[in-house]
Amino acid sequence: MIERTPILNIVTHTILFTGLAILVVPIYLVIVAASQTLPDVMAIPAKLLPGDQLIVNLKAAWVEAEFATKFTNTLILATGVVVGKLVLAALTAFGIVFFDHRLRMPIFWMVFITLMLPLEVRIVPTYAVAANALSPFQSILDVTGISWLINATTGVEVALNWNLLNSYTGLIMPLVATATGTFLYRQFFLTIPDELVEAAKMDGAGPLRFLREILIPLSVTNMAALATIMFVVGWNQYLWPLLIITDPAYGVAAVELSRLVPNMNTTGGDIPNWHWAMAGTLIVMLPPVAVVILMQRWFVRGLINTDK
Amino acid sequence: MAEISIRDVRKSYGKDEVVHGVDLAIYDGEFVVIIGPSGCGKSTLLRMIAGLEAISSGEIAIGGKVVNDLEPRERGCAMVFQNYALYPHMSVAGNIGYALKVARMKRAERDAKVAEVARSVGLDEFLDRKPGQLSGGQRQRVAMARAIIREPEVFLFDEPLSNLDAKLRVQMRHEIRRIHNRIGATSVFVTHDQHEGMTLADRMVIMNKGTIEQIGTPEEVYDHPASVYVAGFIGSPSMNFLAGTVEAGVAAIRLGNDGRIDIAAERAKALDGKLVQIGLRPENLSMVAPGAGAITGHFEFAEELGSGRLYHFQFEDLTLTVLSADKHSFQPGQEVGLTADPVHVHIFDGATGARLDTLEPMRRRASLEVAQ
Ligand SMILES: Nc1ncnc2c1ncn2[C@@H]1O[C@H](COP(=O)(O)OP(=O)(O)OP(=O)(O)O)[C@@H](O)[C@H]1O
Ligand SMILES: [Mg+2]
């Protein structure tokens, strides 16, 4: 719909610029605060122009929050989530779309239902499982009486235990198993013409070969889009790491950032170090921004799917 | 040797049966065209031969080996699809050589073969392009090359030319026939274009609603259609049909109120009193003076075909068409006599539509006996 009415133009542009301001002004304030000394930050009225302390503050925040370790951890987390999701979602969608078996629809609906159960909703049971990943199996053994049987016959007490707290596995796994990626792949796979699948069959390619040499290369743009979204999601994880990580060696950036934002306990009643907190915010924001900028072209293409 | 033998093959989707017991024998090196209207089960039959569709009941054997439970790749068939089905992310060379790559042929050997096959279909300049950068005809050639390179025993085509423009279609048709003559693989070609079918086929299989109506050479099918259905389907412009009653006394078929088509006396005797459908091809009717012909038609209009004209006449409540090289200029409504050579009168049963001709039933079965 293209209309040439000046009033409409003005209205739409006003809306656009308002939206832009809502997004950009806070970021600007972060930059301003991150580049001033503490007294300047606290000054009233507030100083709205950047100062010259940016590098100093960034350095201080980097050291104070031990970002060297946290960044590595967060990078492992985000990469793990991206890779895990790309692989798991591709395989699930492959199974749902290209194989004609009885479990196809049940599996599809099970995956679908997980959309309604994000991590935040099932965080308590997920924590319980992370504390002992084998506990569901233990329950099965207990309920069916198998553990009793083993105990009675061999005298061995069955106690399965696999603790995932304070580990990368525990951080990554619960975030990998979600439905969004599966759906993105599924939508793309459904657009692949049947004839292409059949041509591959005639050429003698088995299912895995078809997946590897035809489907995956055709879905790179989709994978790039999914990877971008998932990297940002993984990078910004807060609640889950906060819950299961108690060992600072496994801490992640977003959680550490909240510790950098001072409260009465850490400063002992002193003025909070707002300038460092803001500098830390800037640092933590950079990797996702970089990834989005880097992947932007692919990302858009993957989501609107035009090059076919 | 790759003769294909199809015995009582059926296909059902759920409760719907779409192919009802097809028997067909295809000789080694033969070019068979399966033709029929949309939805008659041509593709389904072809895909059952290829192994892309499970066979509900019956048996298909290729080269004497029953293939019902074999994977497509184990059947030695190559297929050319209607929309070409090229791999969009691979170059032309990659597309052509993919089957060999899957079969683990060495790189150097493969490249040499790809180059050779590409040259044979005139694609050698385009080996590095992606399918998206090719014209329709070039894509068609890639699809052909991809099938040829496997040196299949059986070539399957599912309406491979239907996406091309008329001129290119004719050109590719010739090319397909040339390739067939060179390679000699048994070929099964599905189409709903009768020109394509007639010109390409060694034998044609005419299908209707999931069954075979007739099997025969293009000439047999044209000259001795086994049923009203085949008679109407094959031939362009299509055949005229008239209902009538055989009268042995005058050795003719009486049509409507005052029409009369002469037929051979012994034929009339055998069919005396029978209600029949007669079929007259437009080129077998000729125009004579009013009253002199077997029937009298009222001229409606003529279509110029270049090589001749197609004249439309009204006879009672039917339209009859006559194809003639002569240029007449009739007035609309003008009375014209029409006659038919008795040799070219096709007579079909008025009730069943089957051909009433001693020659025919034998011909229809002939192919099967050879198969056994
Ligand atoms: N997967 C399917 N499920 C159910 N019915 C199907 C399926 N595939 C085909 N059919 C039905 O089987 C019949 C034969 O289909 P087929 O594709 O063989 O027709 P066709 O002769 O190739 O027609 P066309 O010339 O249009 O390609 C059709 O009535 C179609 O509706
Ligand atoms: Mg078809």
Side-chain angles (χ1 to χ4, degrees), chain A residues 26 63 65 119 125 140 142 157 171 193 196 200 242 259 267 303:
Chain A
V63 174
L119 187 59
I140 293 172
D142 289 347
E157 174 113 19
L171 263 180
L196 203 63
L242 181 69
R259 299 214 173 103
T267 55
L303 285 187

Side-chain angles (χ1 to χ4, degrees), chain B residues 30-222:
Chain B
E30 194 178 19
F31 200 114
V32 163
V33 170
I34 302 179
I35 189 167
S38 190
C40 70
K42 311 180 291 286
S43 300
T44 308
L45 185 59
L46 193 77
R47 291 158 51 80
M48 284 195 283
I49 299 174
L52 296 172
E53 203 81 69
I55 300 165
S56 301
S57 86
E59 200 176 83
I60 295 182
I62 299 177
K65 193 163 130 210
V66 175
V67 296
N68 283 38
D69 298 322
L70 294 188
E71 290 288 316
R73 74 187 113 156
E74 298 163 326
R75 298 189 181 196
C77 304
M79 187 151 170
V80 180
F81 294 87
Q82 180 169 4
N83 297 310
Y84 320 136
L86 303 179
Y87 310 120
H89 58 296
M90 294 186 198
S91 66
V92 167
N95 267 282
I96 298 177
Y98 188 63
L100 302 183
K101 184 176 164 198
V102 173
R104 301 220 170 78
M105 184 184 272
K106 293 251 162 34
R107 184 73 197 251
E109 204 181 334
R110 196 168 82 210
D111 288 348
K113 244 181 132 193
V114 167
E116 180 197 321
V117 171
R119 194 166 338 106
S120 76
V121 295
L123 278 173
D124 27 4
E125 301 163 46
F126 305 109
L127 283 177
D128 295 327
R129 293 226 197 143
K130 294 277 169 68
Q133 301 164 310
L134 297 179
S135 73
Q138 289 163 343
R139 282 181 217 184
Q140 177 65 58
R141 279 167 215 269
V142 178
M144 295 284 302
R146 187 169 66 171
I148 295 171
I149 200 167
R150 294 178 46 202
E151 296 171 2
E153 305 208 290
V154 175
F155 250 120
L156 305 171
F157 302 85
D158 193 351
E159 306 197 22
L161 306 182
S162 57
N163 284 343
L164 304 177
D165 68 48
K167 198 163 170 202
L168 201 52
R169 197 181 308 176
V170 173
Q171 199 181 323
M172 285 308 298
R173 186 166 90 197
H174 297 161
E175 200 135 327
I176 286 178
R177 185 68 219 198
R178 221 168 277 141
I179 289 170
H180 173 79
N181 291 348
R182 180 157 53 86
I183 297 180
T186 311
S187 302
V188 185
F189 188 104
V190 161
T191 180
H192 55 237
D193 179 331
Q194 53 161 315
H195 276 297
E196 220 165 271
M198 300 276 283
T199 49
L200 275 172
D202 290 330
R203 274 193 309 155
M204 298 174 82
V205 174
I206 292 109
M207 286 188 72
N208 181 26
K209 297 190 189 134
T211 54
I212 293 183
E213 288 269 339
Q214 186 171 10
I215 302 169
T217 63
E219 200 184 344
E220 284 168 348
V221 168
Y222 188 82

Side-chain angles (χ1 to χ4, degrees), chain B residues 284-307:
Chain B
N284 296 333
L285 278 169
S286 43
M287 294 167 287
V288 292
I295 38 187
T296 305
H298 296 270
F299 177 74
E300 285 190 308
F301 61 92
E303 287 176 273
E304 184 63 55
L305 301 178
S307 58

Side-chain angles (χ1 to χ4, degrees), chain B residues 238-352:
Chain B
S238 61
M239 198 183 256
N240 299 297
F241 291 103
L242 299 159
T245 317
V246 181
E247 287 183 14
V250 290
I253 297 170
R254 186 155 303 282
L255 308 165
N257 300 326
D258 60 353
R260 196 186 113 160
I261 299 264
D262 291 335
I263 54 172
E266 72 270 28
R267 262 173 116 188
K269 206 183 283 166
L271 301 171
D272 192 19
K274 206 168 171 65
L275 266 172
V276 296
Q277 283 259 29
I278 64 169
L280 298 166
R281 295 211 182 269
E283 61 269 34
N284 296 333
L285 278 169
S286 43
M287 294 167 287
V288 292
I295 38 187
T296 305
H298 296 270
F299 177 74
E300 285 190 308
F301 61 92
E303 287 176 273
E304 184 63 55
L305 301 178
S307 58
R309 271 187 200 169
L310 188 64
Y311 298 88
H312 291 245
F313 294 95
Q314 186 85 27
F315 169 68
E316 309 205 333
D317 53 355
L318 296 168
T319 300
L320 293 182
T321 52
V322 178
L323 184 65
S324 168
D326 304 335
K327 311 273 171 176
H328 297 284
S329 44
F330 300 122
Q331 295 303 313
Q334 185 178 337
E335 289 195 343
V336 178
L338 304 174
T339 61
D341 180 349
V343 180
H344 293 299
V345 177
H346 302 270
I347 308 173
F348 304 101
D349 191 308
T352 65

